[in-house]
Amino acid sequence: MKIAVCVKQVPDATAAKRIDPSTKRLDRSGEGALNAADANAVEEALRLKEGAGDGEVVILSLGPEKALDSLRKALAMGADRAVLVADDAAAGSDLVATSYALAQALERESADLILFGQQAADSDGAVLWAAVAERLRRPLISQAAELTVEDGSVTGKRQTEFGYDVIHATLPAVVAVADSINTPRYPSLKGIMGAKRKPQEVLSLADAGVEAARVGVEGSRTEVLALNDPPGRGDTRTIEDDGSAAEQIVAFLAEKRLL
Amino acid sequence: MSTLVFLEHHGNELQKGSLGVLSKAAQLGVGDVAAVLVGSGVEPLASEAGKFGAATVYVADDPRLDAPLPQPRVDALARLVEQHGFENVLFAQSILSADVAAGLAARLEAGLNWQLLDVVAQDGAIVGKQSALGDSVVVDVGWRSTPRLALFRSGAFDPVAHGGAGTVETFEVEFAEHSLAAEMLEQAHEESTGPSIEDADVIVAGGRGLGEPEKFGLLEELAKALGGAVAATRAVVDAGWYPYATQVGQTGKTVSPTLYVACGISGAIQHKVGMQASKVIVAINKDANAPIFEYADLGVVGDLHQIVPKLTELVRQRKS
Ligand SMILES: Cc1cc2nc3c(=O)[nH]c(=O)nc-3n(C[C@H](O)[C@H](O)[C@H](O)COP(=O)(O)OP(=O)(O)OC[C@H]3O[C@@H](n4cnc5c(N)ncnc54)[C@H](O)[C@@H]3O)c2cc1C
Ligand SMILES: Nc1ncnc2c1ncn2[C@@H]1O[C@H](COP(=O)(O)O)[C@@H](O)[C@H]1O
């Protein structure tokens, strides 16, 4: 079984995220990291491959060239190879443009199962998979908290506003997993060393069969018009526990007349 | 400008969120407002939508639309939009409608903006107010073509009944092969038993930072001392650590206690929308970069396993 996992590099959680006022786009100049929820998708792919005893796990991403660092983390976890579609012309792609580019790149792979994480930390969209599934004309299961693959089909359990659904689809299919589905493994030292030698393809838009006019700002159907002031943070305060945190919480609750 | 609002229903009830979006669309007062309702045996619900401002309610009643799966709904909406040329298609964010909206965006090559808190009419178009970067900034977002697709955050608008009556019009859907390829085997058994957290004045909530299900015991002790109830995040409910009935957030309960103590919870926006109305929020998290510290009244960077038992003890002492 061939499994493709779509992952994104997002700004490192320790860096303050900001929108560049000149481009009105997220400032991606700082340190990047593998989107945390995508590590769950990588982990699930590895488990499915291990369970089946054979198969291939391909990591796929659309992003700047430096995103390769984050794809290498997925390789260090155990994925077999990585494909990055990197082209300046794709910067600023919205949902329509990103889903088109990814679908084109995925067509080249014809994977049996395409996995997504639950959301990108820098977009909070939790939507991309549905657009990709539509372009590939494949069945979709989203927010899967449990997943089983057998006899050429996939079954997922997922939470909605009303309880739990169990959804079934025949492969090839698109599945987005919830972050509750597993605990991602830490890459071993051996894994990290080995990752460097695993195949890592960087594709231009043309290589991936993507029309440049359909991606980037040009190919996008949405735009950011203006940045407003951040909403007021109110009166928040944060303390480090120096052993007296419990006392400080009690004092705070007393001050608020909650005790 | 003509606007179509997607109505989500569960059982025999139209969802409050989508009626809120419909009311908002009607209030904007910038052209015709219609609604679409799809499912099996749903026609009796359609007239209800007229009260909230839909001049026309389009209904597709088909057994293949019975299960709340997104892909057949993309077929239904694509057909309506192509036939009637709606310029705006609006959704209340939910598990189902997010997938419908994104699938429709790809089908129609239409722009989709999400996490919208509000929308205004401007220069013959609409502009969305989007909460971005984990609520740290609100941006004005637009669309570069029509139809304009939008997902509004849960609770963005309250339903307002105007008392009008809409015309109900039925339509047929042609399904794409892939749209019917996923199948619902079991559906959302209603939440079973579990304590009610919605009326609690104090809530002690736990997330994955607890490390293991047994550690909910620590929170139960603290909740008992404070006279409150215990709640949980989706991550731990999904994992079977605590009942679904106690989940707070977008797909769980919305609560507004006087005090909300979040332990080992990162504070993702989908959790936040369910508890941000709490009067006082205290958060204990060992990661100083956790988003919850952005909106906790008192944030404590530290290990909950150290802090919570001590806190319980101190609260008990004080109360006795
Ligand atoms: C469409 C959709 C709907 C969703 N609906 C909901 C919903 O209704 N409710 C909901 O909660 N989520 C929901 N989510 C999921 C949400 O995005 C997060 O994934 C989830 O809330 C994370 O749960 P968590 O905080 O328990 O886990 P994590 O994000 O893993 O956070 C655990 C935290 O514990 C901290 N920690 C670890 N050890 C300790 C320790 N010893 N002491 C103190 N702190 C510690 C860590 O630093 C971390 O910040 C939804 C997601 C999507 C995409
Ligand atoms: N640029 C990208 N390249 C590859 N996969 C992506 C990209 N952006 C998002 N994804 C995937 O889509 C999921 C949902 O993203 P989003 O809808 O933006 O929240 C992520 O968890 C990733 O699995």
Side-chain angles (χ1 to χ4, degrees), chain A residues 13-15 17-19 26 40 94-96 99-100 118-119 121-146 155 157-170 177-183 214 216-231 233 235-254 256 258-259, chain B residues 8-10 15 68-71 74 93-96 98-100 102-103 105-107 109-115 127 129-130 132-145 151 176-179 181-191 208 226 234-239 244 247 250-252 258-259 268-270 280-282 284 288-289 293-303 306-307 310-311 314-315 318-319:
Chain A
T14 56
K17 287 186 253 180
R18 71 182 268 277
I19 295 179
L26 182 63
N40 294 101
D94 73 347
L95 175 72
V96 158
S99 62
Y100 159 68
Q118 89 173 16
Q119 77 204 98
D122 59 356
S123 88
D124 282 332
V127 285
L128 185 59
W129 49 76
V132 170
E134 172 58 32
R135 293 195 185 279
L136 296 173
R137 307 180 70 77
R138 291 189 180 186
L140 167 70
I141 303 175
S142 64
Q143 310 291 338
E146 283 172 26
T155 305
K157 181 176 172 187
R158 62 99 179 256
Q159 190 188 90
T160 73
E161 292 80 3
F162 313 106
Y164 283 87
D165 288 346
V166 179
I167 303 171
H168 173 91
T170 45
V177 302
D179 67 350
S180 52
I181 195 166
N182 56 39
T183 305
R214 291 183 64 186
V217 174
E218 198 50 46
S220 293
R221 295 278 146 260
T222 56
E223 60 188 339
V224 174
L225 301 170
L227 307 182
N228 303 306
D229 290 338
R233 260 188 65 154
D235 192 14
T236 56
R237 91 172 93 123
T238 304
I239 58 168
E240 294 269 350
D241 181 20
D242 57 0
S244 69
E247 282 84 359
Q248 294 194 55
I249 295 171
V250 167
F252 173 82
L253 295 180
K256 295 276 174 193
L258 292 170
L259 276 180
Chain B
E8 193 170 338
H9 69 100
H10 180 68
Q15 292 304 293
L69 289 169
Q71 291 170 301
V74 172
Q93 201 145 345
S94 72
I95 293 289
L96 176 65
D99 285 352
V100 177
R107 178 79 65 90
E109 301 292 345
L112 171 64
N113 281 310
W114 54 81
Q115 298 290 352
V127 170
K129 305 285 175 185
Q130 179 183 55
L133 302 184
D135 281 357
S136 60
V137 56
V138 176
V139 297
D140 284 1
V141 289
W143 290 260
R144 300 176 65 221
S145 61
L151 279 161
E177 199 184 322
H178 72 281
S179 299
E183 185 195 351
M184 185 78 76
L185 296 185
E186 251 177 74
Q187 196 186 327
H189 12 166
E190 287 303 320
E191 70 188 55
R208 215 152 31 177
L226 288 165
R234 185 181 83 170
V236 293
V237 169
D238 267 355
Y244 173 62
Q247 183 184 310
Q250 186 183 319
T251 50
T258 312
L259 173 63
I269 48 164
Q270 293 92 352
V280 174
I281 298 171
V282 174
I284 304 171
N289 294 304
F293 291 131
E294 297 289 322
Y295 55 92
D297 297 283
L298 177 66
V300 179
V301 182
D303 182 357
Q306 302 287 323
I307 299 168
K310 267 199 235 167
L311 180 58
L314 290 175
V315 172
R318 228 188 135 93
K319 289 214 166 170

Side-chain angles (χ1 to χ4, degrees), chain B residues 151-172:
Chain B
L151 279 161
F152 292 93
R153 212 183 248 190
S154 10
F157 313 114
D158 287 326
V160 183
H162 308 277
T167 319
V168 175
E169 231 178 85
T170 57
F171 69 105
E172 298 291 321

